[in-house]
Structures are given as structure tokens and as C-alpha cells.
Amino acid sequence: MNQKKFQKLSVVALIISLLPLVTFIPVLLHITLTDGVRSAWVGVNIFCIFVGLIISVICVKNRDSRNVINIISTTISSFWVLLMGGIVALALFIGFVQ
């Protein structure tokens, strides 16, 4: 891939990495979502997190295309993955303790 394609891909990775923040909009507007919408939203967030991480790692892996946007999107996606892992670990721990 040439440099231009990697730049576009890194911007897409950053946007996808930031999409889970859209979850806060209903909270800020005091909107209650149905269970089905919340479940779909969770699925979309998980999908965005992993796709953003994969695209970011692909862009960062190539030394020629490495830039600040790639590093930021990789950091954001890594944060989301760690946060999800912590929530799963906490749920398993609480289930085990009870």
C-alpha cells in the first residue's frame, strides 16, 4: 500500500476507535433505550473496538506509515480492549465470589 492509502486507513481507524464514545449521547440527553437497542449498541461497540484495533495495528506495524494518528488510534483502541477485559474479569470475579 502506498503512503496515501495508509493515511486514509489511519483516519478511518481513528474514527472507528472513537465511535464507542457515541454511547454517551443518550446518557447526556437522559434518553432511556430499550433492551434490544442497548444489546445492538453493545455489539456495534465491541465490533468497532476490535476493527479499530486491527486497522490501527496494521498501520502502526508498517514503519513508513507510522504517524501520530496511528499511535493515538492504537492507544484508544487498546484502552477500550483493556476496559472491556477489566469489566469481564470483574463480572467473572463477582460471579465466582457469590
Side-chain angles (χ1 to χ4, degrees), residues 56-67:
S56 299
V57 168
I58 289 171
C59 290
V60 168
K61 196 174 180 181
N62 187 352
R63 282 193 175 271
D64 298 333
S65 70
R66 195 174 297 162
N67 60 24

Side-chain angles (χ1 to χ4, degrees), residues 38-66:
R38 276 187 284 179
S39 296
W41 204 312
V42 167
V44 169
N45 282 343
I46 292 170
F47 177 76
C48 287
I49 290 168
F50 285 118
V51 168
L53 182 65
I54 290 168
I55 294 172
S56 299
V57 168
I58 289 171
C59 290
V60 168
K61 196 174 180 181
N62 187 352
R63 282 193 175 271
D64 298 333
S65 70
R66 195 174 297 162

Side-chain angles (χ1 to χ4, degrees), residues 16-87:
I16 290 174
S17 298
L18 291 174
L19 277 179
L21 292 175
V22 174
T23 304
F24 293 117
I25 292 173
V27 174
L28 294 174
L29 298 175
H30 302 290
I31 298 172
T32 305
L33 302 174
T34 63
D35 289 339
V37 173
R38 276 187 284 179
S39 296
W41 204 312
V42 167
V44 169
N45 282 343
I46 292 170
F47 177 76
C48 287
I49 290 168
F50 285 118
V51 168
L53 182 65
I54 290 168
I55 294 172
S56 299
V57 168
I58 289 171
C59 290
V60 168
K61 196 174 180 181
N62 187 352
R63 282 193 175 271
D64 298 333
S65 70
R66 195 174 297 162
N67 60 24
V68 175
I69 295 174
N70 293 339
I71 294 169
I72 290 172
S73 65
T74 305
T75 305
I76 291 170
S77 295
S78 300
F79 168 75
W80 288 126
V81 169
L82 286 173
L83 187 66
M84 282 189 335
I87 290 170

